[in-house]
């Protein structure tokens, strides 16, 4: 099978070489060094670190809140992308630009602002307290912070796909008697699902490793609101580099497996659509 050639970008061997060098320097070598450092521990020591109740509680919290935030953004981001693509209204460009604010805003600033807003004496936190609902320093607050940070990943992934779907197809289906739910299920959903899974995976991956926006609103209560990135920092502050590396390896392996499963599901869906 012949390779495609490009008259603009240099040849395959040169571009592949640059790609592998940068990939190795930025990703493979640092990750390999982490696994190499972790290999200095015995298997019993490694299992002893990752099986601690404190580590398991942080693991459950980090991945659980990241998953919930990605699901929430799957709905919110899809609706927001739909409004931005399919409707024209005053202030649309401003809202479109505001979607990218979490990219530009330092995450620590976002965390401080959200904590001030949802703290028991904050504007929304005080209102929630009247209904016996506590947001800050709970998993709910962590999830809200992750929703704020990861929203652009879903919107910017789905938005161009929506723009490429001709409105005429939906109008034709409607003229043929299809109901709105049928149009969504048989026309929009098959096209949007691969992009939705991509946005979900990106939001989930970012949420798992998020630190700045979560560290303030979580309260860092041991076994309750302590996330894995913070626990790694705690181990580093205690000069327990072996434990920090072991937790990092655990975090990396679980993230890789989950993202691999999502990518396999995405490819399967795309393959079925192509068939």
């Amino acid at each position: 099978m012949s390779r495609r050639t490009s008259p603009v970008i240099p040849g395959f061997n040169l571009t592949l070489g640059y790609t592998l060098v940068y990939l190795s320097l930025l990703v493979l070598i640092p990750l390999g060094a982490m696994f190499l450092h972790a290999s200095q521990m015995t298997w019993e020591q490694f299992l002893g670190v990752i099986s601690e109740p404190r580590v398991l509680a942080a693991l459950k919290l980090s991945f659980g809140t990241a998953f919930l935030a990605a699901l929430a953004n799957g709905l919110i981001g899809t609706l927001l992308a739909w409004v931005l693509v399919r409707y024209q209204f005053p202030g649309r460009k401003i809202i479109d630009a505001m979607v990218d604010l979490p990219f530009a805003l330092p995450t620590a600033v976002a965390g401080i602002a959200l904590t001030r807003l949802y703290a028991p004496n904050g504007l929304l936190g005080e209102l929630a307290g009247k209904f016996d609902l506590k947001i800050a320093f709970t998993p709910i607050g962590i999830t809200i912070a992750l929703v704020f940070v990861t929203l652009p990943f879903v919107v910017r992934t789905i938005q161009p796909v929506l723009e490429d779907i001709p409105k005429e197809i939906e109008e034709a289906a409607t003229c043929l008697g299809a109901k709105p739910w049928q149009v969504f299920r048989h026309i929009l959903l098959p096209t949007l699902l691969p992009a939705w899974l991509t946005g979900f995976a990106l939001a989930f991956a970012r949420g798992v490793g998020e630190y700045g926006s979560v560290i303030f609103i979580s309260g860092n209560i041991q076994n309750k609101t302590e996330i894995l990135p913070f626990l790694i920092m705690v181990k580093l502050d205690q000069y327990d580099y072996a434990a920090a590396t072991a937790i990092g390896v655990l975090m990396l392996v679980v993230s890789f497996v989950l993202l691999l499963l999502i990518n396999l599901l995405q490819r399967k869906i795309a393959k079925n659509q192509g068939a």
Side-chain angles (χ1 to χ4, degrees):
M1 183 176 65
S2 60
R3 294 190 297 265
R4 291 184 179 181
T5 58
S6 172
V8 179
I9 302 178
F12 172 77
N13 293 332
L14 181 60
T15 53
L16 178 62
Y18 276 119
T19 301
L20 292 178
V21 168
Y22 280 113
L23 182 63
S24 299
L25 292 176
L26 297 177
V27 180
L28 298 180
I29 293 178
L31 294 182
M34 185 172 65
F35 277 97
L36 181 62
H37 192 280
S39 65
Q40 299 176 2
M41 305 173 61
T42 64
W43 184 245
E44 290 75 14
Q45 290 174 332
F46 180 80
L47 289 180
V49 171
I50 65 174
S51 61
E52 292 179 3
R54 185 179 182 182
V55 175
L56 295 178
L59 176 72
K60 181 180 178 181
L61 179 67
S62 293
F63 283 89
T65 53
F67 183 81
L68 291 177
L71 279 181
N73 274 332
L75 175 61
I76 300 171
T78 302
L79 293 177
L80 183 54
W82 178 270
V83 170
L84 293 175
V85 171
R86 293 304 175 90
Y87 298 102
Q88 298 293 332
F89 53 91
R92 175 181 170 274
K93 291 185 178 180
I94 297 177
I95 295 177
D96 193 20
M98 289 176 62
V99 171
D100 294 326
L101 274 180
F103 285 149
L105 189 68
T107 54
V109 175
I112 294 173
L114 291 173
T115 304
R116 186 68 186 89
L117 185 64
Y118 290 104
N121 59 346
L123 179 62
L124 296 181
E126 186 175 358
L127 180 62
K130 296 179 180 179
F131 299 94
D132 293 329
L133 178 62
K134 186 178 180 181
I135 297 178
F137 318 127
T138 67
I140 299 176
I142 297 175
T143 304
I144 292 176
L146 295 181
V147 168
F148 172 82
V149 172
T150 60
L151 178 63
F153 290 95
V154 179
V155 177
R156 296 312 184 203
T157 304
I158 295 178
Q159 193 171 356
V161 179
L162 276 175
E163 292 174 346
D164 291 337
I165 300 177
K167 295 182 181 180
E168 291 77 9
I169 299 178
E170 303 170 41
E171 294 173 355
T174 303
C175 292
L176 292 174
K179 297 180 180 179
W181 170 249
Q182 293 175 321
V183 174
F184 173 79
R185 179 181 178 184
H186 296 288
I187 296 178
L188 296 178
L189 184 59
T191 306
L192 290 178
L193 190 54
W196 189 91
L197 286 174
T198 300
F200 174 87
L202 291 173
F204 175 75
R206 171 62 188 275
V208 168
E210 179 59 26
Y211 179 81
S213 64
V214 176
I215 195 66
F216 298 102
I217 199 171
S218 67
N220 308 314
I221 304 173
Q222 186 171 329
N223 294 328
K224 292 183 179 181
T225 61
E226 197 174 51
I227 58 174
L228 274 180
F230 175 78
L231 185 55
I232 292 175
M233 292 299 300
V234 170
K235 297 297 183 181
L236 291 176
D237 289 339
Q238 297 172 350
Y239 300 101
D240 192 354
Y241 299 116
T245 304
I247 298 173
V249 169
L250 172 66
M251 193 173 179
L252 177 63
V253 170
V254 176
S255 298
F256 178 79
V257 171
L258 292 176
L259 292 176
L260 178 62
L261 293 176
I262 294 174
N263 287 331
L264 291 176
L265 178 61
Q266 181 185 11
R267 289 188 177 185
K268 182 178 180 180
I269 293 174
K271 184 178 179 180
N272 292 337
Q273 291 179 353

